[in-house]
Each structure stands twice: as C-alpha cells, then as structure tokens.
Amino acid sequence: MAKEMVAMLLAGGQGSRLYALTEKLAKPAVPFGGKYRIIDFPLSNCVNSGIDTVGILTQYQPLVLNEYIGNGQPWDLDRSQGGVHVLPPYQQASGSDWYKGTANAIYQNISFIERYNPQYVIILSGDQICKQDYSDFLKFHKEKDAEFSVAVREVPWEEASRFGLMVADENDKITEFQEKPKEPKSNLASMGIYIFNWDVLKKYLIEDEADPESENDFGNNIIPNLLRDNRRMYAYHFNGYWKDVGTIPSLWEANMEVLDPEHSGINLFDDDWKVYSRNSGMTGHRISGDAVIENSMITDGCRIEGNVKHSILFAGVRVEKGAEVEDAVVMGGTTIKAGAVVKHCIVAENVIIGENAVVGAMPEDSENGVATIGFGVYVGDNAKIGPNAMVNNNVKDGEEEW
C-alpha cells in the first residue's frame, strides 16, 4: 500500500555530551519533562501531522528505547499497514553492524522504504525537543516543487557559526550550505529535519554509498552533492519551539522551560497538540506558584492554581486561582473555578463548579455530612450546595441546594 510520506527517525545517537545520563541509554530515550522521553516529541509530531509509517533507526544502547517503543500503541502507531518499526543496523558479511553515518543509516533501510513506495521521505532527529506540524512542512515542499527541503530556524548572528547554515535567496531557494563556518553568510540554522522526493533521495544514497571517500553523512555529503547538481532545494522557516538537547545545560534549560509555557513556547499542556508517551495519555500535572497543596494526592493532568488540602484529585482536575479544596474527593476531568470553595464532599467526573460557588460544609456547618455532586453536573457561579446535599442536576447561578 503506497504512502504519501514515510518518516525515518534517526535515533542511534550516543549522546556523549550528556555523560552519565546516556551511559546506559540512547539519547532519544533520556527522560524529559516529568513523564516523557525525548523520542516522544518526534513520534507525537508524526501522529499529530497524520504520518502513520515511521522507521526508527536505533544503534547505541537500544534496549530501553526498543522496549519503550514496543508496538507503538501509545502513539497510535500499532497498525497493520505502516505503523512504527524499530530498524537496527543489519549484520553485514564483513561483520560490521554499525551505521557508518546518517546517510548510510537510511541507505541500509532502502528496502523498508520501498515497501511503502512513498512519494516523499521525511528524515527526523530523535534527539530534539520540538513541536512541529510536518504536514505544513510537506505543503511548503510541494508548493515550491522542491526535491529537497530543510527546516531552518533563524539564530542570533553571534551564534551562527555553531550550526550548519543554509544560505537562501528571497524565494527561500538554497544557494549554499555552510557547516559551522568561521564567517557565516547566513543565520538560517539547519534543524536536521529534511523532506526529500524519494526518487531523488534513493539516487543520492546509492551514489554516496559507492563513494569510498564519503563519510556517508547528510550534512557533509548528501546536501553538498545536491547543491553541486543544482537540485531544487528550499529552506522552510520554522518558528515554533525547537531545542537540541545534546548537552547537560540545554537539557536542563529545556526542562525548566516546561514550567513556563506562556513565555518559553513549549506547552506540554496543549490538548490540541498532545505529546503522547508510554506513561499515559494525560499530561503531567502542573502546580502554579500561587498554589498551596497539603497532604493530598494529585494525579496526572491536574492543573492547580488554588489551595488543595487533604484531598484526592483524580486525573485532569483543574483548580483555578483562589479556589479552595479541602477534605474532598474530586474525580477526573472536573473543573473548580476561581474563588470556589469545595469541602468535605465527593465530586463526580466532568463536573464544573462555577466561580465563587460553595460546595459542602460551610464554616458554620457541621462537618458530619458529605455533599455529593453527580457526573457532568454544572454548578453555577455563586451557587451554594449544602453539607448533606446530593446533586444530580445542574444548579443555576446563585441557587442553593440543601
């Protein structure tokens, strides 16, 4: 069954600059952001972008990564047609079982790609934190009638010499490639994410493999060869969040940025572009600087800005600023809005408790009763629910139920 585009994810990196973190672990398997691993980001991007066929090229310390990926089910990539495939290096007759370079890694898997007869192949890196819509990238590639496109980011000029740089004209056509130059002519840094027309990629991989002088690398060999032959090459400007987490400081910084999604650009709490992981379909929980939590259980996906005391919050509960929750059992998906007081009660799933509403024991009331709110009930703003109330229907703004 032909696929429009197949993704090849380079996940063999040793990650030597992460030292102890990657001593027994491939870099893409390094944990990130509370409940993820680095490889969750490109895999989730594929799912969110509509790509359902992914080859993961493993090499260094692959066991944890292989076990983690499994059949791809957490990313909805457990499919009979396509899906996710872990592709270790082949054992050659010469005894070599190591990918020689990034281009050689893809070359060794030409037969895998051929099974799906794609028009396009996207090459991804397994060691970046990036949320990117690859379908938008493919649309650019088609509109330009490109044979090769590379995702680029503008970097500060003073840092440009640290990167592989694409020099492009006003139509984004690439005219030159500079690998970490002393005198940069561009500040468009390659993100190491490429889209190729498959027929073009295949031709250049085969030629590269036949060249005994080649390092079998995309940056050092394939891209210069495309330029030499005046192929149609374009730079796709990406403005979202991207970070190469190849060093301890960059990995730490990216984790710190998770705590400040409004300013950093990385939002792990975005329900419209979920990052999936083997741990569960929920995001990690997030507790703001204004929140106070005492002796409580807070489960995956909770977002707490108010005060929570001696309570159990199931997955996905939201407690807004100024809200108070005490001695409460609050079930999954419920929202307690700003200023609400929820005490000594059981709140079922998917309930909304409005602003400044009071549910359960008031300060002057006995705490013997347990108020109960049924599944999916809406409790209006400023409503009052008494300490023994059993509420199965919506309560209007300002109403009281006892």
Side-chain angles (χ1 to χ4, degrees):
M1 180 180 171
K3 300 281 184 182
E4 184 180 31
M5 185 157 75
V6 167
M8 299 296 278
L9 177 52
L10 296 164
Q14 187 168 348
S16 55
R17 292 175 301 162
L18 292 176
Y19 307 105
L21 296 180
T22 49
E23 197 174 336
K24 298 177 180 175
L25 202 62
K27 184 159 70 164
V30 169
F32 178 82
K35 58 167 289 180
Y36 305 97
R37 294 182 188 270
I38 292 169
I39 199 166
D40 287 331
F41 289 82
L43 282 177
S44 297
N45 288 341
C46 285
V47 174
N48 290 327
S49 303
I51 298 169
D52 65 6
T53 306
V54 184
I56 300 179
L57 285 67
T58 61
Q59 181 156 276
Y60 172 81
Q61 294 284 14
L63 291 180
V64 172
L65 194 57
N66 294 356
E67 190 178 73
Y68 182 72
I69 291 160
N71 67 352
Q73 182 270 328
W75 305 272
D76 192 29
L77 288 170
D78 53 334
R79 295 162 185 248
S80 54
Q81 294 291 329
V84 67
H85 299 263
V86 176
L87 304 169
Y90 293 110
Q91 183 78 41
Q92 305 291 332
S94 63
S96 166
D97 61 351
W98 208 245
Y99 290 135
K100 290 182 283 185
T102 52
N104 173 257
I106 306 295
Y107 170 83
Q108 284 198 32
N109 290 286
I110 283 176
S111 60
F112 168 80
I113 300 171
E114 291 277 68
R115 281 165 60 185
Y116 299 102
N117 190 27
Q119 284 177 269
Y120 309 102
V121 174
I122 185 166
I123 313 285
L124 304 171
S125 168
D127 52 15
Q128 299 171 349
I129 303 298
C130 175
K131 293 176 81 172
Q132 180 175 2
D133 186 347
Y134 302 142
S135 60
D136 188 60
F137 187 11
L138 179 59
K139 185 177 167 212
F140 168 89
H141 181 84
K142 290 177 180 175
E143 284 172 353
K144 293 293 188 184
D145 191 29
E147 294 173 305
F148 164 86
S149 297
V150 54
V152 297
R153 279 184 63 81
E154 289 189 23
V155 296
W157 278 96
E158 61 271 18
E159 293 178 24
S161 58
R162 292 174 36 216
F163 296 93
L165 302 172
M166 298 293 166
V167 183
D169 66 16
E170 65 277 4
N171 295 314
D172 298 319
K173 192 172 197 297
I174 296 166
T175 56
E176 194 178 338
F177 173 63
Q178 295 184 294
E179 182 64 66
K180 297 181 181 174
K182 284 196 173 73
E183 296 180 9
K185 297 181 186 176
S186 163
N187 67 336
L188 298 178
S190 167
M191 294 166 58
I193 299 174
Y194 316 121
I195 291 179
F196 283 89
N197 292 0
W198 170 228
D199 57 346
V200 173
L201 174 59
K202 184 178 174 185
K203 167 182 160 61
Y204 280 82
L205 288 174
I206 291 168
E207 285 179 7
D208 179 69
E209 192 65 23
D211 178 1
E213 302 297 311
S214 176
E215 298 168 54
N216 307 121
D217 183 77
F218 278 102
N220 292 331
N221 305 106
I222 301 290
I223 294 173
N225 290 347
L226 291 166
L227 273 166
R228 174 199 68 200
D229 295 346
N230 293 313
R231 289 291 185 169
R232 299 190 301 278
M233 304 169 67
Y234 286 86
Y236 168 74
H237 293 252
F238 174 68
N239 298 315
Y241 184 89
W242 173 72
K243 192 155 234 153
D244 184 333
V245 287
T247 65
I248 296 286
S250 65
L251 182 62
W252 176 84
E253 195 174 87
N255 274 279
M256 293 299 101
E257 285 170 346
V258 167
L259 299 175
D260 187 18
E262 290 81 9
H263 298 102
S264 68
I266 179 167
N267 182 3
L268 299 186
F269 306 97
D270 181 358
D271 290 328
D272 294 327
W273 194 272
K274 285 185 179 173
V275 181
Y276 299 90
S277 80
R278 181 160 287 286
N279 299 324
S280 83
M282 282 272 180
T283 63
H285 55 254
R286 183 161 188 250
I287 297 162
S288 80
D290 300 316
V292 177
I293 297 177
E294 294 176 32
N295 191 26
S296 296
M297 179 183 283
I298 312 293
T299 320
D300 274 4
C302 289
R303 310 200 189 162
I304 315 296
E305 295 178 81
N307 298 343
V308 179
K309 190 174 179 181
H310 199 254
S311 295
I312 294 179
L313 272 52
F314 287 64
V317 169
R318 298 179 183 225
V319 180
E320 294 186 357
K321 208 165 189 173
E324 289 184 44
V325 180
E326 186 172 342
D327 296 324
V329 176
V330 183
M331 296 185 179
T334 285
T335 296
I336 298 168
K337 295 205 163 182
V341 176
V342 176
K343 294 188 177 181
H344 211 262
C345 60
I346 296 175
V347 181
E349 294 173 291
N350 299 332
V351 169
I352 294 175
I353 295 175
E355 291 187 9
N356 302 309
V358 178
V359 175
M362 319 300 173
E364 65 274 11
D365 290 320
S366 150
E367 292 199 353
N368 294 330
V370 175
T372 308
I373 312 291
F375 178 92
V377 165
Y378 174 81
V379 177
D381 296 351
N382 302 300
K384 291 190 176 175
I385 308 297
N388 291 297
M390 179 80 64
V391 179
N392 289 319
N393 298 307
N394 292 346
V395 179
K396 293 177 182 170
D397 291 3
E399 270 195 354
E400 296 189 10
E401 286 255 1
W402 294 85

